[in-house]
Amino acid sequence: MSIVDNIHRINAELAGTAARLCVVTKTHPVELLQEAYDAGARCFGENRPQEMAAKQPQLPADVEWHLIGQLQTNKVKLLAPFVHTIQSIDSLKLLREINKHAATHRRVINGLLQFHIAAEETKSGLTLAEAEEILSSPEFPDLSHVRLTGVMGVATFTSDREQLRREFQRLHGYFDHLKAVYFAESPAFADISMGMSGDYAQAVAEGSTLVRVGSAIFGSRG
């Protein structure tokens, strides 16, 4: 199936759910991103700041760029003029840096707190205690140029549906807790980013609002 067909199929599957599609465009050339755009995709997820910054000027201005990979503080300045959402926030230091560069550009950048929900230790992210430490910091309310809009997690790479269900439910539980305790008055705190090419249908069933799909659209790389 073509990129267009795959995007239309996934959007049809998501119709009537709370979830929307973020197309993972990392390593793919701008020509293929343009095909995805022409098929109606507007949310593009990239892993590397340099790659995103190189592609952004070559595509229409209404693309919603999401950084879904780990972000080093020294790379924030590359994205600050245009990035919509940074899905991989894992420290107060990073929040501080995003706030500083967003303020320079008179922007507010959205962010998701990334949680560690997988069995694999190689996958990064916060514990609930670490997230609460950030949100309870006296500094946090003053970071007015970064807006936390939800949570993100990467599940274990497994075909064990029960394990995936537990991990997705754990992330949903973190979201519910943070919403109740810290963001009850913030309608913007609404996103649960979970689910990728192999498991997005199950993630949607467990309440995902944002699925990150690449290989199911473009095919496997290499």
Side-chain angles (χ1 to χ4, degrees), residues 55-87:
K55 289 173 175 176
Q56 185 266 339
Q58 303 180 64
L59 285 152
D62 63 338
V63 169
E64 187 180 295
W65 292 95
H66 286 226
L67 194 280
I68 57 175
Q70 277 191 290
L71 179 59
Q72 296 170 302
T73 51
N74 65 346
K75 299 292 196 305
V76 173
K77 61 181 176 291
L78 293 174
L79 309 181
F82 67 89
V83 69
H84 181 279
T85 298
I86 294 169
Q87 292 202 22

Side-chain angles (χ1 to χ4, degrees), residues 110-113 115 131 135 140 147-152 171-192 209:
N110 290 337
L112 304 180
L113 292 172
F115 284 91
L135 297 174
F140 177 71
R147 177 198 298 121
L148 291 181
T149 55
V151 301
M152 185 268 256
L171 186 62
H172 201 306
Y174 291 162
F175 171 84
D176 288 343
H177 175 75
L178 297 182
K179 179 75 173 175
V181 177
Y182 299 96
F183 296 99
E185 304 303 316
S186 173
F189 192 84
D191 267 328
I192 303 172
T209 69

Side-chain angles (χ1 to χ4, degrees), residues 7-22 200-201 203-205 208-213:
I7 287 174
H8 287 167
R9 173 180 53 80
I10 293 167
N11 279 330
E13 291 171 11
L14 298 180
T17 74
R20 63 193 182 100
L21 171 64
C22 191
Y200 69 84
V204 171
S208 175
T209 69
L210 200 56
V211 295
R212 310 179 302 272
V213 181

Side-chain angles (χ1 to χ4, degrees), residues 1-221:
M1 292 176 81
S2 69
I3 290 170
V4 173
D5 290 338
N6 288 332
I7 287 174
H8 287 167
R9 173 180 53 80
I10 293 167
N11 279 330
E13 291 171 11
L14 298 180
T17 74
R20 63 193 182 100
L21 171 64
C22 191
V23 178
V24 177
T25 51
K26 62 181 183 179
T27 75
H28 294 296
V30 167
E31 296 75 28
L32 295 189
L33 273 64
Q34 185 66 52
E35 279 188 49
Y37 181 91
D38 293 341
R42 291 297 179 271
C43 179
F44 288 173
E46 287 278 337
N47 266 40
R48 296 183 179 87
Q50 297 98 316
E51 190 178 341
M52 185 194 280
K55 289 173 175 176
Q56 185 266 339
Q58 303 180 64
L59 285 152
D62 63 338
V63 169
E64 187 180 295
W65 292 95
H66 286 226
L67 194 280
I68 57 175
Q70 277 191 290
L71 179 59
Q72 296 170 302
T73 51
N74 65 346
K75 299 292 196 305
V76 173
K77 61 181 176 291
L78 293 174
L79 309 181
F82 67 89
V83 69
H84 181 279
T85 298
I86 294 169
Q87 292 202 22
S88 48
I89 292 177
D90 58 3
S91 70
L92 184 59
K93 180 184 177 187
L94 181 56
L95 274 171
R96 194 182 296 131
E97 198 70 11
I98 295 166
N99 186 73
K100 179 180 83 176
H101 289 287
T104 301
H105 293 279
R106 296 183 173 84
R107 300 187 66 228
V108 175
I109 293 172
N110 290 337
L112 304 180
L113 292 172
Q114 180 172 357
F115 284 91
H116 185 273
I117 58 169
E120 296 120 328
E121 287 306 314
T122 50
K123 288 180 176 158
S124 59
L126 298 160
T127 64
L128 183 58
E130 289 167 339
E132 295 204 273
E133 190 176 340
I134 291 170
L135 297 174
S136 301
S137 157
E139 188 180 350
F140 177 71
D142 297 329
L143 302 177
S144 58
H145 288 270
V146 58
R147 177 198 298 121
L148 291 181
T149 55
V151 301
M152 185 268 256
V154 181
T156 302
F157 184 70
T158 178
S159 57
D160 183 340
R161 291 175 60 82
E162 186 57 33
Q163 181 173 353
L164 289 170
R165 188 175 69 84
R166 285 195 305 270
E167 292 175 2
F168 291 144
Q169 288 182 345
R170 184 180 310 141
L171 186 62
H172 201 306
Y174 291 162
F175 171 84
D176 288 343
H177 175 75
L178 297 182
K179 179 75 173 175
V181 177
Y182 299 96
F183 296 99
E185 304 303 316
S186 173
F189 192 84
D191 267 328
I192 303 172
S193 175
M194 60 186 186
M196 297 161 66
S197 286
D199 57 23
Y200 69 84
Q202 193 167 357
V204 171
E206 298 300 339
S208 175
T209 69
L210 200 56
V211 295
R212 310 179 302 272
V213 181
S215 58
I217 291 170
F218 297 105
S220 299
R221 287 180 296 275

